[in-house]
Amino acid sequence: MAQSFGMKGSFIENLPKIYGLYTGGFVVFIGLMAVLEQMGVTADTIGILFVAFTVVIYAAIGWLSRTMQVDAYYVAGRQVPAVFNGMATAADWMSGASFVAMAGGIYFGGYGYLAFVVGWTGGYVLVASLMAPYLRKFGCYTVPDFIGTRYGGGKFVRFCAIVVLVVASFTYVTAQINATGTIASRALQIPFEVGVWFGLLGILLCSMLGGMRAVTWTQVAQYIVLIIAYLAPVIWMSNAQGFGVIPQFAYGDAVSRLTDLEAMHQVGTLKPVEAIAGVSALTVPHSVAGADWLSNWKFATLVLCMMAGTASLPHILMRYFTTPSVRAARQSVAWSLFFIFLLYFTAPALATFTKLQVLDPNLATGIIGKSIDDVMALEWIQKWQNVEFLKVVDSNGDGILQINEFFMRGDIVVLATPEIAGLPYVISGLVAAGGMAAAMSTADGLLLAIANALSHDLFYKIINPKADTRTRLIVARILLLAIGAAGAFVASLRLTSILGAVAWAFDFACSGLFFPIVLGIWWKRANTAGAVAGMIAGFGAGTWYLYMVHFAGMTPWIGIDHLRFGIIGMPVSLIAMVVVTLMTKEPDAETQAMVDEIRVPRGETILGSSH
Amino acid sequence: MNTTGSNREVHWERTRRLMITTLILWFIFSFGVHWFANTLNNFSFLDFPLGYYMAAQGSLIVFVVLIFWFSWKQHRIDVECGVAEDE
């Protein structure tokens, strides 16, 4: 690939130069768009250019990375340097939900919602210390590959792992395709149902020809776009409001100011007179933590589910199979979290600034407490109200907008912020491109995780072990197409909100996979029967509980609602696995020696580079 | 360098201890601190209410530093026990 850029040395050596040029090129493109806007090009055209241009770039990278080699297709040839793998993981990780919905969630949910921020970062401590380096030493292509080989090579145990992986990842991927559809339909002015298929086309172009290798290099490119797109408006706004260039450390004043404003506008006291479907009014104060036992318990349980889920989601774990060494896998986890941190510690700042823009009567953008007629005349209010993402109702008929009369959908906080703050449209276009990058990169990783598990573990290891390389890679691609199409079809039905589906994926993963993976590494005694019991009982109990509280109308036990059903699945999984393991024979000497071997970095991987 | 059995035992013992230390710190900043958020909000740090700050930023910084430290420390253990990879 390096040759096509006309550079000396290998592609890997040239990575900093290539992505440096790419970043520079993207900044020039933003500048060009700003110039076009000044020349009077319409906002819609700029939005279309932003989304179309970036998607074409990703597709081009995907095409350049095409391959017919098994280890390049499944693990990018195991040569991705730690820092670049960190960026790719960060893009893989930060989904449409993180990019689009997180700041909105904090806007409406206040302190309680920060459980997601803590949970989705702290999980990487578990990945680094318990999982990633050992799985890298193992040399597997997929997570079921590890479970299957570690637990005696049987077909049934591998099959159980495939089922959990597919359910968790598929739940997640529909949410991502949904997000690409939402953004594509807004930016390109096409119906949502068409947008979903357009998003899928982009996703498949990135992953189909080159598998993990193509996904890796597009994800790095997508990370660069999404982080610029997230940081730019926040830094702009904070400069405008006088909070300095690094607002993340300086918005403490803004948080205190919000507390005063909330008291003034009676946030929490004034409740909406009537509920309006799909949108909500602000009723939760920004920084007040719950004082009672139950709210602390709800915070902690959500944190735990998201963390254990992080450490069990196969599309994340498999990113660490691509590094050149065990040491690089460990360093790469640290870099991943660093790159994720850049966005996650900005999200609360974004929520704070946006809320301040809306609530503060001293700012030109403040709308609460202004006359309804003036507010209705604002362009961004009209625009979002037209698509029913926002609603203004004068419930007490006094002609003034109160806090309980302004309704908004959480998802639009990030997308609408540039307009709320009156930033030029070029920033809105940039944010749309960033949201698209976030949703596409996660969808790529998830689709690949599912297709790889089905092609490598189900087709090759269980159904047809004699298949040759060509057949395997063709099956992998057909599966990718089929699963992508299934995901797009489910997404176009719009069954769940973006965030609900995301949290469920974490709960499914941690219920079924967390303990079988961890104990497979840290407990030599763990055996096949135990792992099967752990997966079936944990996954089964979690799913049963989800069904009962979400669909069958059962009252949740001590605040454990449908977002936290991993709290039920995980202990059941642990107990079932330990009890059944202790009741059955210990694993044979060969398996025990294998576990000893994955615990030291030196030496060959357990599974060969092409297996 | 040879990797004898006892070397490996020492290596695994130290690796386990590092894992436990890491997870204790992880536990404190994942659960311990936030359990007392309401009380911590009475204090302020960089003008933030402290409980809010820890969930929005403080714990995150701790996690990033913790993993870099863990990664460095584990490599040192690997080298000292003679089980590090050849570069």
Side-chain angles (χ1 to χ4, degrees):
Chain A
M1 214 170 131
Q3 286 73 23
S4 49
F5 291 93
M7 290 184 181
K8 290 195 193 78
S10 73
F11 170 61
I12 298 294
E13 284 164 18
N14 277 311
L15 279 174
K17 215 186 276 175
I18 293 169
Y19 283 107
L21 275 174
Y22 164 83
T23 311
F26 184 61
V27 171
V28 170
F29 177 77
I30 299 172
L32 189 69
M33 289 299 113
V35 172
L36 285 182
E37 185 178 357
Q38 293 302 315
M39 286 166 58
V41 174
T42 63
D44 289 346
T45 316
I46 291 177
I48 293 173
L49 285 174
F50 255 109
V51 172
F53 176 76
T54 50
V55 172
V56 167
I57 296 273
Y58 310 144
I61 298 174
W63 190 76
L64 285 171
S65 312
R66 66 195 180 279
T67 182
M68 267 318 261
Q69 282 168 314
V70 180
D71 69 330
Y73 187 88
Y74 283 117
V75 288
R78 298 199 200 280
Q79 51 171 350
V80 185
V83 177
F84 286 94
N85 194 49
M87 279 195 226
T89 312
D92 198 21
W93 176 248
M94 291 188 288
S95 57
S98 297
F99 192 95
V100 178
M102 181 177 264
I106 300 168
Y107 183 102
F108 283 107
Y111 179 83
Y113 193 89
L114 291 174
F116 281 111
V117 177
V118 176
W120 284 341
T121 50
Y124 280 87
V125 178
L126 300 178
V127 175
S129 58
L130 298 175
M131 311 258 189
Y134 305 101
L135 294 177
R136 171 62 187 83
K137 176 66 194 298
F138 200 83
C140 42
Y141 284 167
T142 64
V143 168
D145 210 11
F146 167 74
I147 302 246
T149 316
R150 160 65 179 84
Y151 293 111
K155 288 182 176 175
F156 185 66
V157 64
R158 193 184 283 264
F159 182 74
C160 292
I162 297 173
V163 171
V164 182
L165 180 151
V166 169
V167 172
S169 305
F170 194 78
T171 311
Y172 204 163
V173 87
T174 52
Q176 298 314 314
I177 297 179
N178 188 332
T180 56
T182 308
I183 297 165
S185 66
R186 280 242 342 115
L188 306 180
Q189 317 278 326
I190 48 181
F192 174 79
E193 287 72 17
V194 182
V196 163
W197 293 97
F198 174 84
L200 178 68
L201 184 72
I203 293 162
L204 287 176
L205 280 172
C206 297
S207 51
M208 238 186 53
L209 297 168
M212 195 61 169
R213 181 159 92 175
V215 166
T216 302
W217 304 126
T218 44
Q219 279 175 342
V220 176
Q222 285 159 338
Y223 177 76
I224 293 167
V225 169
L226 79 87
I227 201 69
I228 293 178
Y230 207 82
L231 295 181
V234 182
I235 292 176
W236 190 313
M237 267 196 294
S238 96
N239 270 318
Q241 295 175 16
F243 288 102
V245 200
I246 308 177
Q248 290 89 340
F249 294 113
Y251 74 98
D253 283 341
V255 176
S256 331
R257 171 101 181 103
L258 269 184
T259 313
D260 300 340
L261 289 171
E262 281 163 354
M264 189 179 100
H265 292 306
Q266 297 175 278
V267 172
T269 329
L270 285 179
K271 303 279 185 206
V273 178
E274 50 178 338
I276 299 175
V279 288
S280 39
L282 184 66
T283 53
V284 180
H286 195 65
S287 58
V288 178
D292 56 336
W293 183 89
L294 186 68
S295 55
N296 284 331
W297 162 254
K298 290 186 83 162
F299 192 93
T301 47
L302 190 58
V303 167
L304 180 63
C305 287
M306 295 307 116
M307 285 182 171
T310 305
S312 333
L313 273 171
H315 75 291
I316 290 304
L317 293 177
M318 77 178 188
R319 284 242 45 100
Y320 300 107
F321 305 163
T322 67
T323 57
S325 65
V326 174
R327 186 188 178 201
R330 281 194 294 259
Q331 290 172 330
S332 178
V333 183
W335 284 111
S336 305
L337 185 59
F338 172 75
F339 290 123
I340 292 166
F341 165 78
L342 289 183
L343 190 145
Y344 278 27
F345 92 131
T346 311
L350 178 62
T352 306
F353 288 129
T354 306
K355 207 186 266 187
L356 203 57
Q357 297 272 7
V358 172
L359 260 52
D360 194 338
N362 297 336
L363 292 172
T365 51
I367 55 168
I368 307 296
K370 301 274 170 71
S371 92
I372 298 255
D373 292 339
D374 288 353
V375 172
M376 294 297 269
L378 290 170
E379 200 189 331
W380 69 271
I381 297 272
Q382 291 174 354
K383 191 170 142 201
W384 290 98
Q385 184 147 343
N386 285 342
V387 284
E388 293 180 348
F389 281 25
L390 190 147
K391 194 107 184 104
V392 173
V393 192
D394 191 9
S395 12
N396 61 0
D398 66 351
I400 304 287
L401 183 64
Q402 268 88 24
I403 193 76
N404 61 341
E405 297 172 341
F406 178 62
F407 298 83
M408 193 161 77
R409 219 171 95 163
D411 294 351
I412 71 168
V413 168
V414 169
L415 298 174
T417 287
E419 300 162 45
I420 297 175
L423 305 185
Y425 192 77
V426 64
I427 299 288
S428 302
L430 176 64
V431 170
M436 194 72 186
M440 278 178 74
S441 56
T442 306
D444 264 339
L446 287 161
L447 277 182
L448 200 63
I450 303 173
N452 286 0
L454 293 181
S455 67
H456 180 74
D457 295 293
L458 188 64
F459 174 73
Y460 178 57
K461 292 284 176 180
I462 296 181
I463 297 173
N464 182 7
K466 294 196 188 84
D468 61 20
T469 310
R470 217 183 113 77
T471 318
R472 286 166 65 190
L473 291 184
I474 289 172
V475 168
R477 284 169 181 140
I478 293 172
L479 282 165
L480 202 58
L481 263 181
I483 296 158
F489 175 72
V490 175
S492 67
L493 301 176
R494 306 198 216 200
L495 295 176
T496 43
S497 74
I498 295 182
L499 192 78
V502 168
W504 289 3
F506 285 77
D507 289 300
F508 278 130
C510 70
S511 298
L513 288 173
F514 185 73
F515 286 109
I517 302 175
V518 171
L519 296 181
I521 297 162
W522 291 87
W523 193 32
K524 233 191 274 183
R525 177 72 174 76
N527 65 17
T528 315
V532 169
M535 281 188 277
I536 294 180
F539 185 68
T543 310
W544 168 81
Y545 188 80
L546 170 66
Y547 175 78
M548 292 307 284
V549 294
H550 198 65
F551 299 102
M554 187 174 84
T555 312
W557 306 338
I558 45 171
I560 302 171
D561 58 11
H562 69 104
L563 294 176
R564 306 167 165 75
F565 69 84
I567 289 296
I568 305 295
M570 276 196 290
V572 173
S573 171
L574 175 64
I575 293 166
M577 183 160 175
V578 171
V579 169
V580 173
T581 293
L582 291 177
M583 278 174 6
T584 46
K585 235 170 54 202
E586 65 174 346
D588 55 26
E590 198 188 330
T591 305
Q592 302 213 21
M594 183 164 83
V595 177
D596 276 330
E597 208 46 50
I598 63 172
R599 292 174 175 184
V600 292
R602 173 181 288 244
E604 291 297 306
T605 54
I606 305 291
L607 296 167
S609 75
S610 195
H611 64 277
Chain B
M1 232 182 286
N2 71 326
T3 52
T4 60
S6 75
N7 232 348
R8 284 198 170 196
E9 265 164 46
V10 174
H11 172 258
W12 188 242
E13 187 47 43
R14 291 184 62 185
T15 301
R16 267 183 41 189
R17 240 180 293 155
L18 175 64
M19 181 273 280
I20 291 166
T21 315
T22 308
L23 290 193
I24 289 172
L25 288 167
W26 165 81
F27 185 87
I28 294 171
F29 286 95
S30 299
F31 306 104
V33 171
H34 309 302
W35 196 271
F36 303 101
N38 194 42
T39 317
L40 291 177
N41 266 344
N42 295 325
F43 302 90
S44 86
F45 177 75
L46 297 172
D47 295 329
F48 287 91
L50 185 56
Y52 175 89
Y53 178 81
M54 286 313 291
Q57 204 171 103
S59 285
L60 278 61
I61 295 174
V62 171
F63 295 145
V64 173
V65 174
L66 178 61
I67 302 181
F68 273 108
W69 171 80
F70 163 82
S71 166
W72 168 81
K73 184 86 181 164
Q74 179 73 58
H75 184 64
R76 246 187 44 177
I77 294 175
D78 293 346
V79 170
E80 283 168 14
C81 295
V83 297
E85 297 150 293
D86 304 312
E87 292 294 323

